[in-house]
Amino acid sequence: SSHHYSADVSAETIRLTGFAQYKPGMQVNLEKAMQANSRFGGHIVSGHVDGVGSITKVITHSDYIEFWVKAPDELAKYIAHKGSITVDGVSLTVNKVNGSEFMLWIIPHTLQETVMRHYQVGTRVNLEVDVIARYLERLMLGDKAAEPQQQSDISLAFLAEHGYLKR
């Protein structure tokens, strides 16, 4: 069996991800895609990178490691307590959120099987937010989705106006 893997990486991928910092010999997380006829466990991961975050705190507990990650501000709206997020290709549960920072509890098995065992303060990580949240945001635009937009029109006022919030 081979101990290496090669892939083409586009200029856009280099620009939008943390791959520019990778060097020959560094480990990455690889996982086979779930088959459509399998039992579903976890969340839908497409393999896209929505932004690059960085590790801000690493706290060792007796039976897990606590990682705090600072996400780009534009992704904060997609990150929810007990929601799903993908960090360097690993599907995880968000344990706490504070603004654009979120906390993960990583168990020993996950540390052993992923590159997370190498994380330290300052490590840059590729983030993928939950795709259902992205689709929901787009769906809530309704007919406005067909209009060119610089940024999302979703706001608390928009949600209240369309009956999603009590006034």
Side-chain angles (χ1 to χ4, degrees):
S1 71
S2 177
H3 289 33
H4 72 277
Y5 178 86
S6 63
D8 293 325
V9 180
S10 70
E12 181 173 2
T13 298
I14 295 293
R15 185 175 59 81
L16 296 176
T17 69
F19 287 127
Q21 71 184 4
Y22 288 25
K23 295 176 178 37
M26 285 182 71
Q27 294 180 336
V28 296
N29 296 316
L30 295 175
E31 186 173 345
K32 290 182 180 180
M34 182 180 82
Q35 295 181 2
N37 63 354
S38 301
R39 211 171 116 216
F40 184 78
H43 82 283
I44 299 168
V45 175
S46 67
H48 297 164
V49 175
D50 295 311
V52 177
S54 62
I55 304 297
T56 58
K57 276 189 245 175
V58 179
I59 302 169
T60 302
H61 297 271
S62 60
D63 54 348
Y64 65 95
I65 303 247
E66 178 180 325
F67 289 110
W68 280 88
V69 182
K70 169 75 170 82
D73 289 349
E74 63 271 15
L75 296 183
K77 64 185 172 181
Y78 302 111
I79 302 170
H81 178 247
K82 298 297 179 190
S84 300
I85 192 151
T86 303
V87 179
D88 281 342
V90 180
S91 174
L92 299 163
T93 299
V94 175
N95 294 98
K96 198 176 277 187
V97 179
N98 183 14
S100 61
E101 274 192 288
F102 62 94
M103 186 256 284
L104 305 165
W105 289 338
I106 307 300
I107 61 173
H109 177 77
T110 304
L111 282 173
Q112 180 182 353
E113 297 296 322
T114 69
V115 299
M116 293 181 161
R117 65 185 173 277
H118 302 297
Y119 287 178
Q120 52 191 310
V121 171
T123 300
R124 292 170 44 90
V125 295
N126 293 317
L127 302 175
E128 178 184 347
V129 296
D130 192 277
V131 69
I132 293 172
R134 287 199 172 277
Y135 279 117
L136 180 60
E137 178 183 45
R138 182 82 173 155
L139 181 64
M140 290 177 65
L141 290 174
D143 291 340
K144 286 187 170 191
E147 300 170 11
Q149 296 169 352
Q150 294 295 70
Q151 61 187 37
S152 172
D153 285 343
I154 300 295
S155 64
L156 289 177
F158 177 91
L159 293 173
E161 179 183 330
H162 289 86
Y164 290 98
L165 295 176
K166 294 180 183 178
R167 290 181 183 238

